[in-house]
Amino acid sequence: MALIVHKYGGTSMGSTERIRNVAKRVAKWARAGHQMVVVPSAMSGETNRLLGLAKELAPEKQTADYERELDMLASTGEQASSALLAIALQAEGLQSVSYAGWQVPIRTDSAHTKARIESIDDTKVRADLEAGKVVIVTGFQGADALGNITTLGRGGSDTSAVAVAAAMKAQECLIYTDVDGVYTTDPRVVPEARRLQTVSFEEMLEMASMGSKVLQIRSVEFAGKYRVPLRVLSSFTPWDIDIAVESQSGTLITFEEDENMEQAVVSGIAFNRDEAKISVLGVPDRPGIAYQILGAIAQANIDVDVIIQNLSKDGKTDFSFTVNRGDFAKAMDLLRSNVLPSLGAQDVVGDTKICKVSIVGIGMRSHVGIASKMFGVLSEEGINIQMISTSEIKTSVVIDEKYMELAVRALHKAFDLDQAAVQNAA
Ligand code: ADP
Ligand code: ASP
Ligand code: MG
């Protein structure tokens, strides 16, 4: 008997019929003797619907008070699906109880809309498991020290699940979704994409941080920190599939270098349409400017991604960086009202129509020329590169959003990731 955590995403929870299927699958695992903790997402489209309502009422408001209410609002989506799943499990003849984040409790910091989990008290959940219940822990949410409901950022139910699995030392955390694993790139964009049987933790971390939405980055960070065995698999297989077969399906995130691992130089391609570029123009080129600009941005709790500073001309330089699109208006306001006057810069301009495309692979450590091959492929397609950033195992470029699919497809092919390429080589 093992303690297993299942997480079901929005599409998997998308209708009462699908919730019934989830309940049947979970019941199968529970009846096989496992202690089951299940973390559901809101039904698909629900979080967008709720946030859309808020936007109708207050389009540009992004104050702390407003973000607190967004969390009150968005967290209801998961609360509803958790109760529905508990009801469906009870209808299957199992004992089941659902808990909101604050009831567990899952304690987070107070960064509304992107809170971080600080601690999980599993006393209550353990007692319920011992009593033979299937416990539903509501995904995507927690509560801060003052009891305010917080949410963990879009896609945050993944993080709830992995954090619960880490806190409870679960034997495995299974992330059930609408694809049957982690692919070389988003199969919705490149139909030739191939499922990876295993992907190393480091690659998964880069792919998630570069925009592969199949796992939220923080869930991968948790998995790495606490060595949580993590697998991504489909919730659309028949619910009564043999558990032994189910346990081997999908993609396993591995922590050790595995001899049998697929040894491609580039393992995957990620893209991100959620960023916007900000350029501060005509900044006096003196020590401290990066700190003045980015320090203010960090204080407002806005994450910065790619950064470039141009060579100075006549003592002035341009300084560009990317932020999440959701933080774009806030960052622009902040720079215009607080930073620009004291910095003595000429102007600040923004571009929301950009995207970031990244190639990822641990093989990049030991192979040279991979980045230049990437630039060559993009140049052949006539795609202009606006910014570049690299790490040991990835190279990212910022390009015009309209070329995103073209770039991803061309790179996928050039790095032999297409299904056909692998079949030919075999
Ligand atoms: P869930 O609601 O189950 O959390 P998500 O929509 O958050 O599902 O994540 C699954 C989606 O991630 C897939 O439908 C797929 O379009 C997308 N995706 C992006 N990159 C990848 C990738 N490399 N492999 C698999 N899926 C990916
Ligand atoms: N429902 C939340 C979202 O849509 C969290 C999640 O699905 O993981 O972002
Ligand atoms: Mg998700």
Side-chain angles (χ1 to χ4, degrees):
M1 190 171 78
L3 197 165
I4 308 277
V5 175
H6 280 192
K7 180 260 168 176
Y8 291 91
T11 318
S12 314
M13 295 291 294
S15 64
T16 46
E17 194 47 43
R18 288 191 177 159
I19 293 175
R20 190 174 292 126
N21 256 292
V22 168
K24 285 183 190 299
R25 189 182 296 273
V26 172
K28 174 187 72 180
W29 282 75
R31 290 195 171 112
H34 298 299
Q35 292 190 320
M36 298 302 297
V37 178
V38 187
V39 179
S41 290
M43 295 169 82
S44 57
E46 180 62 3
T47 312
N48 285 344
R49 186 186 75 82
L50 292 166
L51 295 176
L53 294 176
K55 226 175 180 177
E56 271 179 38
L57 293 170
E60 288 296 332
K61 274 233 172 298
Q62 291 193 330
T63 61
D65 287 349
Y66 175 72
E67 288 180 348
R68 180 190 181 281
E69 300 312 321
L70 285 185
D71 280 355
M72 280 293 282
L73 178 68
S75 60
T76 62
E78 266 69 12
Q79 194 167 321
S81 60
S82 293
L84 288 170
L85 183 55
I87 288 168
L89 280 158
Q90 290 165 8
E92 287 299 316
L94 273 91
Q95 282 185 282
S96 180
V97 57
S98 70
Y99 291 118
W102 64 269
Q103 289 174 312
V104 175
I106 296 177
R107 170 69 66 83
T108 70
D109 62 18
S110 302
H112 284 293
T113 76
K114 49 183 161 190
R116 282 179 182 271
I117 295 177
E118 288 175 344
S119 64
I120 297 179
D121 181 350
D122 65 356
T123 319
K124 210 188 288 184
V125 178
R126 273 198 198 281
D128 286 326
L129 292 174
E130 292 304 325
K133 293 181 191 168
V134 173
V135 183
I136 316 296
V137 172
T138 307
F140 183 50
Q141 57 170 262
D144 72 4
L146 296 173
N148 297 301
I149 293 179
T150 53
T151 65
L152 309 180
R154 298 307 304 266
S157 296
D158 296 332
T159 302
S160 309
V162 179
V164 167
M168 302 196 71
K169 300 196 171 45
Q171 179 173 293
E172 198 164 20
C173 181
L174 302 178
I175 306 282
Y176 288 88
T177 184
D178 57 3
V179 273
D180 63 349
V182 179
Y183 277 66
T184 47
T185 192
D186 190 339
R188 285 179 213 254
V189 171
V190 182
E192 294 79 17
R194 193 168 41 89
R195 179 171 64 84
L196 301 164
Q197 277 208 318
T198 59
V199 62
S200 76
F201 157 71
E202 287 167 285
E203 287 170 325
M204 195 62 242
L205 196 63
E206 285 285 13
M207 278 174 72
S209 75
M210 294 303 120
S212 286
K213 299 217 163 96
V214 62
L215 285 178
Q216 198 203 32
I217 170 123
R218 285 184 189 163
S219 71
V220 187
E221 286 168 358
F222 260 106
K225 192 163 171 196
Y226 299 101
R227 294 286 163 127
V228 179
L230 188 62
R231 184 178 287 276
V232 177
L233 68 172
S234 170
S235 70
F236 293 119
T237 52
W239 68 264
D240 56 355
I241 176 179
D242 193 85
I243 287 185
V245 175
E246 192 173 356
S247 310
Q248 295 302 312
S249 65
T251 302
L252 178 71
I253 317 310
T254 57
F255 297 102
E256 313 294 335
E257 293 246 349
D258 180 348
E259 302 264 292
N260 304 319
M261 241 165 68
E262 293 153 77
Q263 287 294 354
V265 178
V266 172
S267 304
I269 299 177
F271 51 85
N272 185 347
R273 272 178 282 214
D274 297 340
E275 290 188 19
K277 186 171 82 170
I278 296 178
S279 300
V280 188
L281 308 177
V283 186
D285 193 10
R286 56 175 154 73
I289 58 158
Y291 176 64
Q292 248 184 297
I293 297 171
L294 298 181
I297 296 284
Q299 266 190 355
N301 212 358
I302 297 172
D303 288 333
V304 167
D305 186 25
V306 186
I307 304 169
I308 52 169
Q309 183 182 336
N310 288 344
L311 276 179
S312 78
K313 238 170 54 194
D314 310 326
K316 301 253 179 194
T317 182
D318 297 339
F319 190 92
S320 302
F321 57 95
T322 63
V323 296
N324 273 329
R325 274 188 207 177
D327 289 329
F328 177 69
K330 191 171 168 184
M332 290 291 281
D333 278 354
L334 183 79
L335 290 171
R336 286 214 175 99
S337 55
N338 296 355
V339 181
L340 214 58
S342 60
L343 200 63
Q346 275 153 5
D347 202 1
V348 48
V349 293
D351 183 359
T352 53
K353 296 213 159 22
I354 56 147
C355 77
K356 189 175 66 176
V357 176
S358 311
I359 54 172
V360 174
I362 34 181
M364 287 168 76
R365 274 195 193 124
S366 45
H367 289 75
V368 290
I370 305 303
S372 63
K373 178 168 172 181
M374 177 186 200
F375 306 148
V377 171
L378 296 174
S379 120
E380 269 168 40
E381 299 293 341
I383 300 172
N384 186 39
I385 299 172
Q386 302 177 16
M387 300 167 108
I388 299 172
S389 96
T390 63
S391 79
E392 219 186 358
I393 65 163
K394 73 119 213 279
T395 302
S396 304
V397 294
V398 171
I399 59 174
D400 189 321
E401 184 186 52
K402 69 176 181 241
Y403 297 124
M404 190 203 80
E405 291 195 7
L406 176 64
V408 174
R409 291 211 175 106
L411 291 167
H412 199 266
K413 191 153 200 250
F415 285 104
D416 292 333
L417 295 173
D418 283 3
Q419 271 173 21
V422 173
Q423 275 152 17
N424 288 344

